[in-house]
Amino acid sequence: MNSIHSVKVADYVAHLHALKEDNRLRSLKPRAGVDFASNDYLALASAPRMKMAVCAALEAGTAVGAGGSRLLRGNCEEHESLEVEAARFFGAETALFFGGGYFANFALLTTLPQRGDLLVLDALVHASVHEGARAGRADFRINAHNDPESVENTIRDWRAKGGMGRVWIVVESLYSMDGDFAPLEDLVAIADQYDAFLIVDEAHATGVYGEEGRGLTAPYEGRENLVVVHTCGKALGAAGALLTASTVLRDFMVNRCRPFIFATAPSPLMAVAVREALLILQEEPERQQRLAKLVAFTHRQINVRVGRSPSESQIVPYIVGDNSRAMLLASALQLRGFDIRGIRPPTVPAGTARLRISLTLNVGEDDVRAMLDALFEETRGWPR
């Protein structure tokens, strides 16, 4: 039995061994140390108001699970109330609630772009976008990161070769591994010029940027050719994702989106939690302000120490390059009490293994100073 079992899994064993040899083997680790790893940017995941809102909903009879698809009995009042409030908050015509950001991106890209259309993807856009593009009907091209000229040239080239369908430009507003911002103003102009749609994943910007945390797309919301995904499991401290779009596109998703039609609806308790998070953004603006101050403080500290900062956002990459060296550095910092994780290919491009330092309201300025002291002590003598 053991020999038969070994033959069955031999290919998987070999694959895992190859990952280990390349210092890319992943494993699950428990939480430990000061939080410089999470995306809980506004510290809402454990906020008393969030807990009270969920407890109150349970006391009022809200079910833990939806019990079915939204098109069956799983369409709860909590889902609909959240979607109405989210559309109002973000300034969109409508909103649609999904179980997660990965799920929402995949659902969107396998439903709205049609056969004969073209997807123009930023090279560093999230894995869920790439997977959705591969699984969808439309052709796709991958463009140079944050390069509007590259986007425009791709569209022109496709049209010149006979492309007749719709163009869909897909970006993140704030990139999760480099911490840099998309040139949204330029991309909106290109979308208008070429009668294209612009899809923006606001995962790491929702709650952190824009008036009351409405995100970096806030100035453009309500446009017919804009579709936005607002992830709820990061700064909003809950789980799920909100897709904001025109009523026509929302109705098309409800009727044609297989991941929406055939999946059990998200927990109505998560809808309650997300709605509370949106209220907190409006009623406690000091959270957004405090995070902005912490981000500015951190970048000043880095500038003083090394003369430049690798980003301007709450996501601070420390590029190491070598996979093994990056993981050893992460382990050293974890031993010193800081929860910082190493990131390796394929999550980031080959040769750019790094630490991804995340700034949240779960830490303060003293924590940042101590973390930077430890980081630069551990890397003393390294080339920069």
Side-chain angles (χ1 to χ4, degrees):
M1 178 65 73
N2 286 339
S3 61
I4 294 174
H5 180 74
S6 296
V7 170
K8 286 181 178 179
V9 301
D11 288 346
Y12 301 103
V13 171
H15 182 72
L16 291 171
H17 180 72
L19 289 175
K20 186 175 182 180
E21 288 294 303
D22 195 31
N23 291 292
R24 292 193 294 125
L25 184 66
R26 296 181 174 100
S27 62
L28 299 177
K29 294 182 178 180
R31 298 181 182 204
V34 181
D35 177 17
F36 284 101
S38 82
N39 297 318
D40 184 24
Y41 300 125
L42 299 179
L44 290 185
S46 299
R49 278 188 61 172
M50 298 283 279
K51 295 177 181 178
M52 290 170 59
V54 172
C55 287
L58 281 169
E59 289 293 323
T62 298
V64 174
S69 162
R70 289 285 297 275
L71 290 172
L72 298 176
R73 193 173 170 82
N75 187 40
C76 303
E77 186 276 332
E78 291 83 2
H79 299 134
E80 296 202 342
S81 295
L82 168 62
E83 289 166 348
V84 169
E85 173 61 22
R88 186 204 64 78
F89 177 76
F90 290 113
E93 195 172 340
T94 63
L96 193 61
F97 189 45
F98 286 88
Y102 193 109
F103 193 68
N105 279 331
F106 186 88
L108 165 60
L109 291 169
T110 53
T111 304
L112 292 184
Q114 301 298 299
R115 189 168 285 107
D117 288 356
L118 176 70
L119 284 164
V120 182
L121 314 181
D122 187 279
L124 298 186
V125 79
H126 193 265
S128 57
V129 172
H130 288 280
E131 292 301 319
R134 292 189 189 101
R137 300 175 182 86
D139 194 6
F140 67 92
R141 304 282 189 278
I142 298 175
N143 280 93
H145 176 54
N146 273 352
D147 187 344
E149 184 178 356
S150 175
V151 172
E152 193 166 9
N153 288 340
T154 294
I155 297 171
R156 286 176 176 170
D157 181 63
W158 183 70
R159 290 289 187 206
K161 292 178 179 177
M164 300 295 291
R166 184 77 64 190
V167 173
W168 302 78
I169 303 165
V170 192
V171 300
E172 294 181 44
S173 60
L174 171 59
Y175 286 87
S176 60
M177 290 296 145
D178 288 86
D180 56 340
F181 300 96
L184 288 181
E185 185 173 351
D186 292 336
L187 295 170
V188 167
I190 291 171
D192 287 345
Q193 180 179 350
Y194 293 94
D195 195 25
F197 279 90
L198 177 62
I199 299 174
V200 183
D201 183 349
E202 286 262 53
H204 296 272
T206 302
V208 178
Y209 296 97
E211 184 181 358
E212 294 186 331
R214 289 181 169 87
L216 293 164
T217 55
Y220 314 106
E221 266 289 14
R223 302 167 68 94
E224 189 178 42
N225 65 342
L226 178 66
V227 182
V228 180
V229 174
H230 294 280
T231 300
C232 306
K234 297 179 173 61
L236 299 188
L242 289 156
L243 185 152
T244 60
S246 68
T247 300
V248 170
L249 295 185
R250 182 187 190 274
D251 289 348
F252 191 87
M253 293 286 288
V254 170
N255 281 274
R256 291 294 186 184
C257 180
R258 294 174 68 83
F260 180 83
I261 294 168
F262 295 107
T264 297
S267 165
L269 289 178
M270 277 300 101
V272 169
V274 174
R275 193 174 182 196
E276 185 66 20
L278 296 181
L279 288 174
I280 292 172
L281 291 183
Q282 298 166 79
E283 296 170 4
E284 300 181 19
E286 62 273 12
R287 286 182 183 267
Q288 189 183 9
Q289 294 160 8
R290 281 168 47 212
L291 181 60
K293 289 180 181 177
L294 183 67
V295 170
F297 169 81
T298 303
H299 290 299
R300 285 198 304 271
Q301 289 291 308
I302 295 172
N303 285 329
V304 167
R305 294 164 189 255
V306 297
R308 59 181 173 82
S309 186
S311 80
E312 297 178 354
S313 70
Q314 78 275 17
I315 299 165
V316 185
Y318 188 91
I319 308 295
V320 177
D322 178 74
N323 295 342
S324 177
R325 204 176 190 190
M327 300 311 293
L328 287 172
L329 178 57
S331 295
L333 292 170
Q334 290 160 16
L335 288 172
R336 296 180 67 153
F338 304 102
D339 191 359
I340 296 176
R341 306 297 174 98
I343 310 293
R344 295 155 290 177
T347 304
V348 294
T352 70
R354 68 194 63 188
L355 304 185
R356 180 190 183 273
I357 299 168
S358 180
L359 302 173
T360 74
L361 294 186
N362 295 312
V363 304
E365 291 184 359
D366 288 344
D367 298 309
V368 170
R369 283 195 193 91
M371 180 273 294
L372 291 175
D373 286 344
L375 173 61
F376 291 117
E377 285 172 13
E378 292 292 339
T379 58
R380 186 174 290 122
W382 286 25
R384 296 199 181 112

